[in-house]
Amino acid sequence: MRTITKLLFLLLLSLSSAYAEVVAKVSPKEVELGEMVTYSLTISGEDITRPNIRRLCDSDVISTSSQTSMQITNGSINKNYTLSYRFVPQKSCVIDPTEVEVDGKTESSNSVEVKVVPVSGAKDQDFVLKLESSKKELFVGEAFDLTLTFKQRSDAEAVDSEFTPPELKGFWIKSESEPKRYQDSKYTITEIVYSLAPQRAGEQKISQAQMRIASRGSRASAWGDWIPTIKWKTYFSNELSFDVKPLPSGVSLVGDFAIEAVADKREIKANEAVNITITVSGDGNFEDIKSFKPSMDEVAVFDEKISIEGKKLTQKIAFVSDRDFTIPSFSLRYFDPETKEVKEVSTKEIKINVTNELSKEELVIKKEERASVGQTQGASVSKEYDMLTLVFIFIGGVAAGIAIMLYRPNFSFEKKAKEGSIKDPKILLTKLLPYKDDREVAEIVEILEKNIYSSEKIEVDKKALKELLKRYGIS
């Protein structure tokens, strides 16, 4: 008898019900904003493929769980699966039917509705999260402050918390302050200030920030005892919208700026550096200001990286030359959002005097003067005499040169070569400067400047240098 019972049980297992069903439900069906909802799928069948559910009601699924059970009904064995998904809905919604593959077939659940109601007594909540902006109408690149405030009632306890910052897509984050904490009559308040600037024109939004708070609670057990529990609730901030307008054509800076340029000296020796410090102060998108390094003929210029600290920008530029020069004016063109005007600020030119200025040989070309009809015979004879003198001098010079070649074959020009040798970096730099319009020459000139006037020591490509010297006949 016992053997027959076992056989019947095995037969029932092998002939388990072909009935498959997917039932969806939510618990609770109505919640206050910030409270958690559990979406459950109860599936009857032998073999299932779990659906990949990551979002419900436009909210992320926070956690998942599953449970399996077996049930015998009218001699049939049914296998049941319960899949649970926990999420925090931010608005009322209807969850569409979910498709599940059961025993090789696709089954669909029923749809379910979730109702979200406003938080009761919002002014006296235990926890409050709020976003505030210093401006709502902006221009592209215009800076503004976004203040995030979190308030906790003095008598409210939080076991744990998880903060989700607002999405700042479409905005540059210029800076973020350290949290500032203070107390009022009811709340402990924490504030964080973000300095932002919009990246593009049009309507831009900053999404809600979220704070999940775990509080202590309790529930009744099956025996009537109270069991301590942890209850999570999510608090949402408000959402912000901005009307962002484009800047006028040709302008990339917005704000209000002032500029100043100061030289460490006005008089230098040849090939000595004069350092200029450029300072930009005010309010605006400093990060979009480019290097002020100018391009100057016969003056070596090299700049340091721009430095920004708070509402102040500085840059240092060095100028080197062997003769007097003038440092040009530096300017900024920007849009003032207060006056709705394009403005420009600039510095004054700075004249630099070089005390031991190197002389610059001038090439003087005289036009050949032809004798006029009215010239005297005496002037013609004098001209012929001068021509004969030049001829004799030329013949004498050629003869002297031949004599040197024949009788002094080992004559050395070593001493002369040493004077002004291109092996001296400064002399080489001086000889290359007239040709720095050539990109390859400009690269070597920049290396020489850094080697001479800064602590950097960069090796020059000797092969490339040799080709350039040959190309321009520099020796």
Side-chain angles (χ1 to χ4, degrees):
M1 185 67 180
R2 190 174 296 176
T3 304
I4 294 174
T5 303
K6 288 181 178 180
L7 289 172
L8 288 173
F9 181 74
L10 291 173
L11 181 62
L12 288 173
L13 283 177
S14 62
L15 298 175
S16 59
S17 174
Y19 175 72
E21 185 181 16
V22 180
V23 178
K25 66 177 183 178
V26 291
S27 177
K29 295 180 179 180
E30 181 177 313
V31 293
E32 287 188 351
L33 178 64
E35 292 185 339
M36 193 171 295
V37 172
T38 300
Y39 174 69
S40 300
L41 292 173
T42 302
I43 307 165
S44 299
E46 184 64 27
D47 183 26
I48 70 167
T49 300
R50 295 186 182 184
N52 185 16
I53 301 175
R54 295 187 177 181
R55 290 179 66 82
L56 292 167
C57 291
D58 293 329
S59 299
D60 291 334
V61 171
I62 296 172
S63 64
T64 62
S65 62
S66 63
Q67 185 178 354
T68 305
S69 63
M70 294 181 67
Q71 184 178 3
I72 300 176
T73 305
N74 297 325
S76 298
I77 298 178
N78 295 325
K79 202 171 187 180
N80 294 324
Y81 299 86
T82 302
L83 307 179
S84 300
Y85 304 85
R86 305 184 76 191
F87 66 103
V88 179
Q90 298 182 35
K91 58 185 178 180
S92 299
C93 68
V94 175
I95 301 176
D96 293 331
T98 301
E99 292 185 346
V100 183
E101 188 175 333
V102 183
D103 297 332
K105 295 181 179 180
T106 300
E107 304 289 344
S108 293
S109 71
N110 54 299
S111 60
V112 290
E113 183 179 1
V114 178
K115 188 175 182 181
V116 178
V117 298
V119 178
S120 58
K123 291 184 179 179
D124 296 321
Q125 286 188 84
D126 289 343
F127 303 94
V128 178
L129 195 59
K130 183 172 63 173
L131 288 175
E132 292 179 297
S133 171
S134 59
K135 300 175 183 178
K136 290 295 180 67
E137 293 186 358
L138 301 159
F139 287 88
V140 173
E142 183 180 354
F144 70 99
D145 289 337
L146 175 70
T147 303
L148 173 67
T149 304
F150 176 66
K151 300 170 69 174
Q152 178 178 344
R153 285 182 64 94
S154 301
D155 57 351
E157 292 185 4
V159 178
D160 199 358
S161 64
E162 294 178 2
F163 174 64
T164 303
E167 288 188 6
L168 302 175
K169 293 180 180 178
F171 294 87
W172 285 295
I173 303 175
K174 298 161 66 70
S175 64
E176 178 183 340
S177 72
E178 292 294 326
K180 178 184 176 183
R181 188 167 295 169
Y182 58 94
Q183 189 88 26
D184 69 3
S185 58
K186 290 184 178 180
Y187 292 94
T188 298
I189 303 170
T190 304
E191 287 184 351
I192 299 176
V193 179
Y194 300 88
S195 180
L196 307 175
Q199 296 177 346
R200 52 183 175 267
E203 184 183 6
Q204 304 296 330
K205 291 186 177 182
I206 293 179
S207 65
Q208 297 171 319
Q210 300 180 29
M211 180 71 82
R212 291 185 68 220
I213 302 292
S215 303
R216 297 185 186 279
S218 59
R219 64 177 179 83
S221 68
W223 305 98
D225 299 326
W226 289 99
I227 302 173
T229 59
I230 298 296
K231 182 181 179 181
W232 285 90
K233 185 174 180 178
T234 302
Y235 295 84
F236 296 93
S237 74
N238 53 308
E239 186 179 75
L240 294 177
S241 295
F242 299 86
D243 180 17
V244 183
K245 300 175 182 178
L247 289 173
S249 178
V251 179
S252 61
L253 300 178
V254 57
D256 187 17
F257 300 95
I259 187 170
E260 181 185 27
V262 178
D264 63 346
K265 59 189 98 172
R266 298 293 182 98
E267 189 173 274
I268 60 172
K269 295 179 181 180
N271 294 323
E272 183 182 356
V274 57
N275 296 298
I276 298 292
T277 301
I278 301 170
T279 304
V280 179
S281 57
D283 188 16
N285 51 332
F286 288 95
E287 62 278 358
D288 291 328
I289 297 177
K290 297 179 181 179
S291 174
F292 290 97
K293 179 181 178 181
S295 177
M296 300 176 64
D297 294 334
E298 299 182 351
V299 179
V301 184
F302 57 96
D303 58 337
E304 292 185 6
K305 187 178 179 181
I306 285 178
S307 172
I308 300 175
E309 292 184 5
K311 296 185 177 182
K312 183 178 178 182
L313 176 149
T314 56
Q315 184 180 29
K316 292 184 178 181
I317 303 178
F319 299 82
V320 181
S321 182
D322 56 9
R323 53 183 54 83
D324 293 348
F325 64 97
T326 300
I327 296 173
S329 169
F330 302 102
S331 62
L332 278 179
R333 189 166 177 264
Y334 64 92
F335 178 76
D336 187 338
E338 298 296 328
T339 62
K340 306 295 188 295
E341 295 176 338
V342 176
K343 298 180 178 180
E344 186 170 356
V345 291
S346 58
T347 65
K348 294 182 179 180
E349 293 182 342
I350 302 175
K351 293 184 178 180
I352 304 298
N353 180 39
V354 180
T355 55
N356 58 337
E357 181 179 23
L358 299 181
S359 60
K360 185 176 181 181
E361 296 180 2
E362 295 184 0
L363 179 62
V364 180
I365 301 176
K366 293 183 178 180
K367 293 182 179 180
E368 182 182 353
E369 297 179 359
R370 295 185 178 181
S372 63
V373 177
Q375 284 182 321
T376 62
Q377 185 67 28
S380 178
V381 173
S382 176
K383 183 177 179 181
E384 289 179 3
Y385 176 77
D386 289 342
M387 289 297 295
L388 287 171
T389 302
L390 290 174
V391 170
F392 282 123
I393 292 173
F394 174 73
I395 294 172
V398 172
I402 294 172
I404 291 172
M405 294 298 293
L406 292 174
Y407 298 103
R408 298 287 299 276
N410 296 323
F411 183 81
S412 174
F413 292 94
E414 182 179 355
K415 184 177 180 181
K416 187 174 182 180
K418 285 184 178 179
E419 297 176 2
S421 172
I422 59 174
K423 292 183 178 179
D424 186 332
K426 288 186 178 181
I427 294 172
L428 177 58
L429 176 61
T430 304
K431 292 191 175 187
L432 286 174
L433 280 175
Y435 310 101
K436 70 174 188 176
D437 289 339
D438 185 324
R439 182 180 59 82
E440 296 179 3
V441 174
E443 291 177 357
I444 292 181
V445 165
E446 186 176 357
I447 293 173
L448 290 172
E449 288 174 354
K450 290 182 179 179
N451 288 345
I452 295 170
Y453 304 111
S454 70
S455 58
E456 294 187 50
K457 296 300 175 187
I458 306 171
E459 188 174 352
V460 177
D461 187 337
K462 294 181 180 179
K463 185 178 179 181
L465 176 61
K466 186 176 180 181
E467 291 178 357
L468 290 174
L469 295 177
K470 184 178 179 181
R471 182 189 305 171
Y472 294 105
I474 301 173
S475 60

mmCIF file of all heavy atoms in Angstrom, residues 42 112 156 424:
data_model
loop_
_atom_site.group_PDB
_atom_site.id
_atom_site.type_symbol
_atom_site.label_atom_id
_atom_site.label_comp_id
_atom_site.label_asym_id
_atom_site.label_seq_id
_atom_site.Cartn_x
_atom_site.Cartn_y
_atom_site.Cartn_z
ATOM 1 N N THR A 42 2.638 37.221 -8.711
ATOM 2 C CA THR A 42 2.452 35.834 -8.277
ATOM 3 C C THR A 42 2.263 34.990 -9.533
ATOM 4 O O THR A 42 1.310 35.198 -10.301
ATOM 5 C CB THR A 42 1.242 35.696 -7.348
ATOM 6 O OG1 THR A 42 1.427 36.564 -6.218
ATOM 7 C CG2 THR A 42 1.081 34.267 -6.874
ATOM 8 N N VAL A 112 -2.152 47.379 -12.677
ATOM 9 C CA VAL A 112 -2.493 47.811 -11.314
ATOM 10 C C VAL A 112 -2.267 49.320 -11.196
ATOM 11 O O VAL A 112 -1.434 49.904 -11.896
ATOM 12 C CB VAL A 112 -1.656 47.066 -10.252
ATOM 13 C CG1 VAL A 112 -2.061 45.615 -10.145
ATOM 14 C CG2 VAL A 112 -0.176 47.177 -10.563
ATOM 15 N N ALA A 156 13.426 64.532 15.937
ATOM 16 C CA ALA A 156 13.304 63.406 14.999
ATOM 17 C C ALA A 156 14.618 62.620 14.955
ATOM 18 O O ALA A 156 15.704 63.208 14.890
ATOM 19 C CB ALA A 156 12.956 63.910 13.595
ATOM 20 N N ASP A 424 76.301 78.941 -28.820
ATOM 21 C CA ASP A 424 75.742 79.716 -27.710
ATOM 22 C C ASP A 424 74.235 79.820 -27.923
ATOM 23 O O ASP A 424 73.778 80.378 -28.926
ATOM 24 C CB ASP A 424 76.370 81.110 -27.687
ATOM 25 C CG ASP A 424 75.917 81.906 -26.462
ATOM 26 O OD1 ASP A 424 74.804 81.647 -25.970
ATOM 27 O OD2 ASP A 424 76.680 82.778 -26.007
#
